[in-house]
Amino acid sequence: MKIISFKPDHDGTIAALDASAAELIYSYEAEKDSFPRYSTITPSAVLEAAGRLDAIPDVIALGGWSIMGTTGERPIAAGYYGLGQGSEVVGETTIFGRKVNFYSSTHERSHLWCSYGLSPFPLGIPCYALIWEGGLGDFYEIDERLQVVHLGRVMENPGIKYALLYALADPKFTFPKGHTRREDAGKLMALCAYGQIGSPDRDEQALIDLLLPSDLYPLSKEDLQNSPYYNIGVTHQRFTNLARRVSDAMFHSFHTFAKKNLTKGYPLLISGGCGLNCEWNRRWVETNLFSDVFIPPCTNDTGSAIGTAVDAMRHFTGNAKIKWSVYSGQPFVFDEIDHTGLEVHPLDYNQVASALLADKVIGWVQGNCEIGPRALGNRSILAAPFSKATHERLNRIKNREAFRPIAPVCLEQDVGLHFDLARPSPHMLLFQKVLDRRLEAVTHVDGTARAQTVSREQNPRLFQLLTSFKAKSGVGVLCNTSLNFNGAGFINRASDLLAYARAVGLDGFVIHDNFYLLQTTSRTT
């Protein structure tokens, strides 16, 4: 049985499962291949995804949504919210003259079954689940029979509240009432590190008391014009202090609920956009409330198509576990490029490692692109980790704010040498304290980093490059940031990569088995 699943609206994604083998075939995200971030499903993605299947699938699955997102009353298919009766739509549809099964379940369920289906815990092991995203802030229990119990809603709209807080301080934010920018929640997470430790003062507590109640929506920036933080600037110390206090208060609300109600010691699954908050993920690990904690690499809406496909597989087969690879995205397109000003060498890991040690910044392309928003060594920009100047250069290349951190990638066997959390983190979703003072380029202002760990089995080519770099530098760590135009998904074709390298000043790039070096006169520095 083949299942193809579609996630509508932003973060549009198409996923395919082979239910007979219980395996993910692919997950194609509309923003990848340099389309705008958060794109809806594109015709090119549909054609490419359909071309990967050798026959019309047995099941067409459509993730639930709403015409107006989390707030609308008109549902798309199964709709946005719900777990019980009415949260599934099962029937038939016709595609190219053939009748096939049709399945839809709510967006809420897509998060739940994505994290369950991708988790390493065997089928039948009970789990707790946390969904916190733009609209949802809820805990669940999944029992050994795959029955789901809703344990309670802690907070509505946690992700929206994060984005609203950033907008409040940003003089550049001029969106209409009731709208936020999707990228702002992640930026606020980075700013929290600049906040000073301490209890909330009167102004901070007043805003916490206003923001955290679960029934607060919609609230807009213009409703807070009298706030002392209105247009204060996102890097102002008073605002970064506020950001930290609000973030801590939000986590405390969820932790208090979990400590009281999640008492069986099951593993915890985390999904939703707030699952990209590496500090919160680390805190969940350290609560010791759970036997383990799992966050999928596509914890935000990029995993929803997978979740709906897993839910459909569960409905038709009774199984909700799949085999999968994080490198299940689109294959790289090697189209025609202009070789003017390029030196082309066969890939030699020692040569690339020497270039990196000489402070060259290198694009790195291998195989299929990653699923989810994090570059994990197949669509990456790599650099040596030792200099603050490298951190500044990378943020200039990325056209990002100077306060944004740069993540490290580290040999898995060496993670305890450089960071304080000596456990694998293959998807770059946990904060660690940096122990090695040499790693200035990847150390955030609060002394943390969100490291990706790499083993030979996980990504053999990146593992070999790190091993070669360690042999030359003594350190098996590199800077790793995503290879993309600002505001777009991962670069996925050679012509775009060359144009990007020349425009932003990359020193070179690797595509599969070739190393391309740009002559100085052919690039912007």
Side-chain angles (χ1 to χ4, degrees):
M1 174 184 282
K2 298 288 176 62
I3 301 169
I4 191 167
S5 174
F6 300 87
K7 194 276 178 183
D9 210 86
H10 70 81
D11 291 302
T13 309
I14 305 167
L17 296 186
D18 181 343
S20 302
E23 186 169 10
L24 178 67
I25 301 171
Y26 59 71
S27 180
Y28 284 4
E29 298 163 29
E31 71 172 40
K32 303 291 171 68
D33 199 10
S34 300
F35 283 89
R37 291 289 311 279
Y38 316 111
S39 288
T40 57
I41 293 170
T42 58
S44 59
V46 173
L47 288 172
E48 189 175 351
R52 285 282 305 277
L53 297 179
D54 56 9
I56 293 174
D58 304 286
V59 180
I60 305 289
L62 178 60
W65 198 252
S66 165
I67 293 295
M68 297 300 291
T70 62
T71 62
E73 295 181 358
R74 180 182 163 192
I76 295 174
Y80 200 96
Y81 296 108
L83 291 173
Q85 187 173 4
S87 64
E88 292 179 293
V89 177
V90 183
E92 288 186 338
T93 190
T94 301
I95 181 169
F96 299 121
R98 177 184 162 187
K99 282 191 174 182
V100 298
N101 292 296
F102 175 81
Y103 182 86
S104 177
S105 57
T106 59
H107 182 69
E108 184 172 3
R109 290 173 59 134
S110 76
H111 280 306
L112 196 73
W113 291 111
C114 175
S115 59
Y116 185 87
L118 300 186
S119 71
F121 315 122
L123 186 73
I125 297 296
C127 296
Y128 291 125
L130 166 62
I131 302 177
W132 49 2
E133 48 120 64
L136 290 157
D138 299 59
F139 281 106
Y140 310 80
E141 183 180 323
I142 306 172
D143 70 15
E144 64 277 1
R145 296 175 292 111
L146 305 185
Q147 300 300 305
V148 181
V149 176
H150 181 235
L151 299 178
R153 174 159 295 172
V154 180
M155 185 182 300
E156 291 185 9
N157 309 305
I160 290 174
K161 289 172 181 175
Y162 249 60
L164 173 62
L165 194 63
Y166 187 95
L168 172 63
D170 184 7
K172 298 177 182 177
F173 182 90
T174 57
F175 278 36
K177 183 182 175 84
H179 292 265
T180 55
R181 294 176 299 209
R182 292 191 178 96
E183 65 269 24
D184 284 355
K187 292 180 181 181
L188 191 81
M189 293 173 191
L191 283 169
C192 288
Y194 291 82
Q196 297 169 343
I197 297 173
S199 300
D201 64 23
R202 184 175 63 182
D203 289 334
E204 292 164 351
Q205 190 62 54
L207 200 50
I208 289 169
D209 292 341
L210 177 66
L211 281 176
L212 263 58
S214 62
D215 59 351
L216 179 66
Y217 190 81
L219 183 73
S220 76
K221 173 177 179 175
E222 298 312 311
D223 294 322
L224 301 172
Q225 290 186 61
N226 295 325
S227 167
Y229 305 101
Y230 185 83
N231 286 342
I232 194 173
V234 295
T235 59
H236 194 288
Q237 187 65 60
R238 286 195 66 196
F239 179 69
T240 58
N241 289 347
L242 172 72
R244 183 165 188 160
R245 310 287 193 272
V246 172
S247 184
D248 287 347
M250 289 176 67
F251 184 87
H252 179 72
S253 296
F254 283 88
H255 177 249
T256 299
F257 183 96
K259 191 173 182 179
K260 180 180 179 181
N261 297 286
L262 282 65
T263 59
K264 300 175 184 176
Y266 297 157
L268 176 68
L269 313 172
I270 295 177
S271 58
C274 293
L276 296 171
N277 188 321
C278 298
E279 181 199 9
W280 284 355
N281 293 342
R282 171 69 180 263
R283 289 194 194 185
W284 285 121
V285 170
E286 292 180 337
T287 61
N288 295 317
L289 294 174
F290 312 104
S291 59
D292 203 350
V293 176
F294 173 75
I295 313 103
C298 47
T299 182
N300 63 349
D301 280 10
T302 60
S304 288
I306 295 175
T308 301
V310 170
D311 203 2
M313 186 177 76
R314 176 207 54 77
H315 174 84
F316 289 106
T317 72
N319 181 28
K321 290 287 181 180
I322 58 173
K323 299 184 288 289
W324 61 283
S325 165
V326 73
Y327 306 110
S328 295
Q330 292 95 316
F332 192 75
V333 178
F334 206 109
D335 56 355
E336 192 69 29
I337 62 173
D338 175 11
H339 285 75
T340 303
L342 285 179
E343 299 176 18
V344 186
H345 305 271
L347 175 59
D348 180 312
Y349 293 98
N350 288 323
Q351 183 186 15
V352 178
S354 294
L356 291 165
L357 192 55
D359 289 328
K360 304 295 186 185
V361 176
I362 305 296
W364 181 263
V365 169
Q366 298 295 335
N368 291 4
C369 68
E370 301 86 336
I371 61 175
R374 298 273 161 83
L376 301 171
N378 277 19
R379 300 293 184 273
S380 291
I381 298 173
L382 303 176
F386 303 121
S387 168
K388 279 291 183 186
T390 299
H391 174 274
E392 293 165 1
R393 183 183 173 193
L394 287 170
N395 271 338
R396 287 196 303 271
I397 285 172
K398 298 295 297 286
N399 193 23
R400 304 193 318 178
E401 298 88 349
F403 64 77
R404 303 280 289 277
I406 298 293
V409 58
C410 176
L411 289 169
E412 184 179 296
Q413 70 263 26
D414 289 351
V415 65
L417 301 176
H418 307 292
F419 307 99
D420 76 331
L421 189 63
R423 62 177 274 169
S425 182
H427 305 135
M428 200 189 286
L429 287 167
L430 293 168
F431 265 178
Q432 303 91 359
K433 284 287 184 182
V434 181
L435 303 178
D436 189 338
R437 293 185 178 181
R438 294 173 293 177
L439 305 182
E440 292 187 4
V442 297
T443 303
H444 201 24
V445 66
D446 61 350
T448 65
R450 59 178 198 202
Q452 176 200 0
T453 59
V454 174
S455 66
R456 187 187 301 275
E457 295 73 25
Q458 172 195 344
N459 191 321
R461 293 198 166 199
L462 185 57
F463 176 88
Q464 182 58 57
L465 179 61
L466 286 163
T467 301
S468 297
F469 187 78
K470 179 182 178 181
K472 294 179 178 296
S473 70
V475 174
V477 179
L478 289 168
C479 296
N480 175 21
T481 188
S482 57
L483 182 62
N484 63 290
F485 292 94
N486 184 259
F490 297 163
I491 291 170
N492 203 51
R493 62 186 60 231
S495 57
D496 284 348
L497 176 51
L498 179 58
Y500 180 80
R502 287 173 170 162
V504 304
L506 294 186
D507 297 295
F509 52 85
V510 171
I511 302 177
H512 300 152
D513 293 317
N514 288 309
F515 181 25
Y516 299 79
L517 280 168
L518 277 73
Q519 296 175 4
T520 304
T521 55
S522 71
R523 63 179 177 84
T524 302
T525 56

